[in-house]
């Protein structure tokens, strides 16, 4: 059995997996990682290498049952009170491109199911992202 990820590593794994779900991590998504890690209290004191953490996550994703393995490691590493935070981070990354792809939606559904998130909380998180990323025209 592998050792648990740190809480911050687990949250970064969620963001990375959301970004590469459609097999295309964009510059916007990378910028969103930096922005979120730079200002959210849950990342206060983080001094790790996002690149190294992202590489480890990507390697796990390539393995047999990679997505399940990632979800297992993340769920094992996060306290339950941060499940909604992880979901919100995944939403932020997926929404940063404004056009959320089907593969990203599938990952979000898997995350919601794995964490057994409250449907009202999920709806509120998703609505909040839609409002923040709405275009003018």
């Amino acid at each position: 059995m592998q050792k648990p990820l740190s809480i911050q590593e687990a949250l970064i794994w969620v963001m990375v997996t959301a970004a590469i779900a459609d097999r295309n991590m964009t510059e916007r998504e990378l910028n969103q990682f930096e922005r979120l890690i730079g200002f959210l209290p849950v990342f206060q004191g983080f001094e790790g290498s996002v690149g190294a953490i992202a590489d480890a996550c990507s390697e796990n994703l390539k393995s047999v049952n990679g997505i399940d393995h990632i979800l297992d490691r993340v769920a094992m590493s996060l306290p339950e009170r941060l499940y909604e935070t992880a979901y919100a981070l995944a939403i932020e990354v997926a929404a940063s491109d404004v056009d959320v792809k089907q593969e990203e939606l599938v990952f979000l559904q898997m995350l919601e199911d794995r964490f057994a998130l409250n449907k009202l909380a999920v709806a509120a998180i998703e609505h909040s992202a839609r409002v923040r990323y709405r275009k003018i025209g």
Side-chain angles (χ1 to χ4, degrees), residues 8 27 45 50 64 78-79 98 101 108 110 123:
Q8 293 167 328
E27 190 68 30
V50 174
V64 175
L78 287 178
V98 183
K101 305 284 190 290
L108 292 170
M110 292 174 78

Side-chain angles (χ1 to χ4, degrees), residues 25-42:
M25 188 181 303
T26 66
E27 190 68 30
R28 279 186 144 158
E29 290 167 332
L30 290 170
N31 291 337
Q32 187 71 308
F33 288 0
E34 292 174 12
R35 189 179 75 75
L36 293 168
I37 291 168
F39 87 88
L40 289 176
V42 75

Side-chain angles (χ1 to χ4, degrees), residues 72-137:
D72 289 343
R73 295 242 359 237
V74 167
M76 175 178 74
S77 303
L78 287 178
E80 190 174 329
R81 67 183 178 78
L82 291 180
Y83 286 178
E84 289 175 350
T85 302
Y87 188 79
L89 290 172
I91 290 285
E92 285 297 316
V93 170
S96 66
D97 283 332
V98 183
D99 179 30
V100 179
K101 305 284 190 290
Q102 183 62 35
E103 297 89 348
E104 293 166 322
L105 294 172
V106 169
F107 172 68
L108 292 170
Q109 183 64 55
M110 292 174 78
L111 199 59
E112 177 185 345
D113 292 344
R114 181 62 56 100
F115 291 160
L117 296 175
N118 176 288
K119 298 290 184 194
L120 289 175
V122 167
I125 292 167
E126 291 172 354
H127 178 74
S128 177
R130 273 193 302 278
V131 169
R132 278 192 312 284
Y133 290 94
R134 192 168 283 154
K135 292 181 181 179
I136 293 174

Side-chain angles (χ1 to χ4, degrees), residues 12-13 16 20 25 30 33 49-59:
I12 291 169
W13 274 37
V16 167
I20 61 177
M25 188 181 303
L30 290 170
F33 288 0
S49 166
V50 174
I53 295 168
D55 288 345
C57 178
S58 294
E59 283 305 310

